[in-house]
Amino acid sequence: MTLIADRLNRISPSLTIAMTGKARALKAAGKDIIGLSSGEPDFDTPQNVKDAAIAAIQRGETKYTDVAGTTELRKAVCEKFKRDSGLDYKPEEIIVSTGGKQVIFDALLATINPGDEAIIPAPCWVSYPDIVELAEGKPVIVQCGQNAGFKMSAEQLEAAITPKTKWLILNNPCNPTGAAYSAAEIKALTDVLLKHPNVWIFTDDIYEKLVYDGFKVATILEVEPRLRDRTVTMNGCSKAYAMTGWRIGFAGAPVALIKAMDKLQGQSTSGTSSISQAAAVEALAGPQESIEAMRVVYERRRDMVVDMLNACAGLRCHKPEGAFYVFPDMRGCIGKTTAGGKKIETCEDFTIALLEETGVATVHGAAFLSPGHFRISYATSDAALKEACGRIQKFCAGMA
């Protein structure tokens, strides 16, 4: 009898976390490392949010909360959904979890039976397929190339749906590509979904506030309210409010599913931190100016990074609509040898050599189910990004 459960063989450790850990270890050993592998804002949590947390501590709000979240926060989430997307949710249709990842975990573990399929457009965040696998479901990966703006078409969605399809998981804007769907692009997908009443939709909108060039991102129910009875609308405080460590995710969904997720969460983590929830109320209901200030900086960084990467021999970088990532195509470097003597045969070879020879930490595209690319997070300082991209240019120019 083995100790480790077979279910763990279905999943892999997070490769983004692994690369970030490797970069931190090298930096601790004295190496000159520029970390572009972590999907975490470099901004501090807004002061009003921190003040709200401190005030909650002083008031003694340090006890357990309802598993699904405090009434105050669930009401604030309802108001946020109404304000930003015109969605009408009631507090009983809201769940608050320990980060957005737990929302995904709760929803999929509560609904997927062995063999159920979940359609996932790729490139995709590393955790979606593994959570589906852990739930004994089958990830159905739909490849969406750079030439299509890394977006899934209605035709691709229609072709992927089978009698076993339980979920479509859509990340909009997307990690790792930054691709974002407009209302018209969402409408094409919802027209397909209306024809398949047994398919549920999970829309991960965690990056919705971070869009550029006047782009207007749209969420599923904003475009097609008739899908309300089978849609989970997920969001959180991590990205827009620079609150990754506070661990606050939330979702709106039909009451029956919220109750199932609440039941599962009640036997895992129970309610999230009471202090974090008090901070989240202020984040959602308080002044919103900090979001725009961060968004403007991210847009400037995106433009600089895209321009510098497109000047690299062998790279081709799409300009994304949102998030804080770029996902350049590095296939022009395949078959070449670096100045340090490393033969580049895969995107992982590229990112490892880049880290070892230049000290720039990125994540290879295969981690996001899209070989031939690599992900850069531009959620770091302008100076660090300029230096990193300069190193990448020299790295690529040195290949033969």
Side-chain angles (χ1 to χ4, degrees):
M1 180 182 294
T2 59
L3 172 64
I4 306 303
D6 290 343
R7 71 176 65 89
L8 285 189
N9 293 327
R10 304 189 196 111
I11 64 174
S12 303
S14 170
L15 293 174
T16 54
I17 293 174
M19 182 59 85
T20 300
K22 184 174 183 178
R24 284 176 179 161
L26 288 171
K27 193 168 186 176
K31 303 293 186 181
D32 178 16
I33 303 296
I34 302 176
L36 306 181
S37 58
S38 180
E40 181 169 43
D42 60 313
F43 297 96
D44 194 12
T45 301
Q47 188 62 47
N48 64 303
V49 176
K50 292 191 286 186
D51 290 343
I54 293 167
I57 293 171
Q58 297 295 348
R59 290 194 302 269
E61 295 179 13
T62 56
K63 307 298 183 183
Y64 293 135
T65 73
D66 289 342
V67 170
T70 64
T71 299
E72 187 179 16
L73 179 51
R74 281 183 283 164
K75 286 181 177 178
V77 170
C78 292
E79 291 166 2
K80 174 260 179 295
F81 280 139
K82 180 67 174 179
R83 177 183 71 232
D84 293 343
S85 305
L87 307 183
D88 286 309
Y89 282 110
K90 297 175 182 177
E92 57 266 31
E93 297 174 301
I94 302 296
I95 191 167
V96 178
S97 299
T98 307
K101 186 179 288 188
Q102 189 179 19
V103 175
I104 302 165
F105 187 92
D106 287 348
L108 299 186
L109 266 288
T111 57
I112 289 179
N113 290 310
D116 285 347
E117 296 176 353
I119 297 170
I120 305 172
C124 64
W125 185 43
V126 297
S127 293
Y128 297 138
D130 277 354
I131 295 174
V132 172
E133 292 270 15
L134 199 59
E136 299 186 76
K138 178 185 176 183
V140 175
I141 306 303
V142 177
Q143 291 294 337
C144 307
Q146 181 167 289
N147 290 340
F150 297 118
K151 302 177 194 179
M152 182 174 62
S153 69
E155 292 75 19
Q156 287 178 302
L157 175 59
E158 182 70 66
I161 294 174
T162 76
K164 294 183 178 180
T165 304
K166 174 68 72 72
W167 286 98
L168 164 65
I169 301 174
L170 193 69
N171 186 198
N172 183 33
C174 173
N175 172 9
T177 64
Y181 292 80
S182 67
E185 290 165 332
I186 290 290
K187 181 65 165 60
L189 299 180
T190 58
D191 285 348
V192 172
L193 293 164
L194 285 171
K195 296 188 292 182
H196 298 276
N198 294 322
V199 178
W200 280 69
I201 306 98
F202 190 105
T203 178
D204 178 349
D205 301 339
I206 198 78
Y207 295 97
E208 68 164 353
K209 296 288 189 179
L210 304 179
V211 289
Y212 314 114
D213 301 322
F215 187 88
K216 178 65 172 68
V217 71
T219 194
I220 292 285
L221 296 186
E222 187 178 9
V223 173
E224 185 46 82
R226 287 178 290 177
L227 293 172
R228 193 181 194 284
D229 289 343
R230 51 188 172 107
T231 296
V232 177
T233 304
M234 193 275 275
N235 214 304
C237 295
S238 295
K239 313 303 181 178
Y241 299 96
M243 292 176 65
T244 51
W246 299 79
R247 309 309 300 134
I248 291 287
F250 49 79
V255 170
L257 179 53
I258 292 294
K259 286 182 177 179
M261 293 167 70
D262 181 281
K263 181 179 180 180
L264 179 61
Q265 189 164 298
Q267 293 292 4
S268 55
T269 61
S270 294
T272 193
S273 160
S274 60
I275 305 307
S276 294
Q277 291 190 67
V281 171
E282 175 62 22
L284 296 178
Q288 303 293 299
E289 290 82 3
S290 62
I291 297 175
E292 177 62 12
M294 288 187 279
R295 192 203 64 80
V296 168
V297 173
Y298 285 136
E299 183 170 6
R300 183 183 70 240
R301 292 172 177 173
R302 178 206 59 169
D303 293 345
M304 177 182 69
V305 168
V306 169
D307 288 346
M308 292 188 73
L309 291 177
N310 277 324
C312 294
L315 301 188
R316 185 165 61 98
C317 187
H318 176 75
K319 181 180 280 190
E321 295 90 353
F324 42 62
Y325 310 103
V326 291
F327 200 62
D329 185 326
M330 50 66 62
R331 286 174 289 185
C333 299
I334 297 291
K336 296 183 178 180
T337 302
T338 70
K342 175 72 173 181
K343 181 71 175 290
I344 303 299
E345 296 179 343
T346 66
C347 58
E348 187 171 10
D349 291 339
F350 180 93
T351 57
I352 291 173
L354 182 66
L355 177 60
E356 292 176 347
E357 296 181 27
T358 75
V360 176
T362 61
V363 185
H364 61 286
F368 306 99
L369 304 187
S370 187
H373 299 78
F374 65 106
R375 190 191 77 173
I376 285 177
S377 167
Y378 52 86
T380 192
S381 71
D382 292 47
L385 288 168
K386 187 173 182 179
E387 173 64 21
C389 290
R391 293 184 192 183
I392 296 172
Q393 288 178 343
K394 292 179 183 178
F395 177 75
C396 291
M399 291 186 189

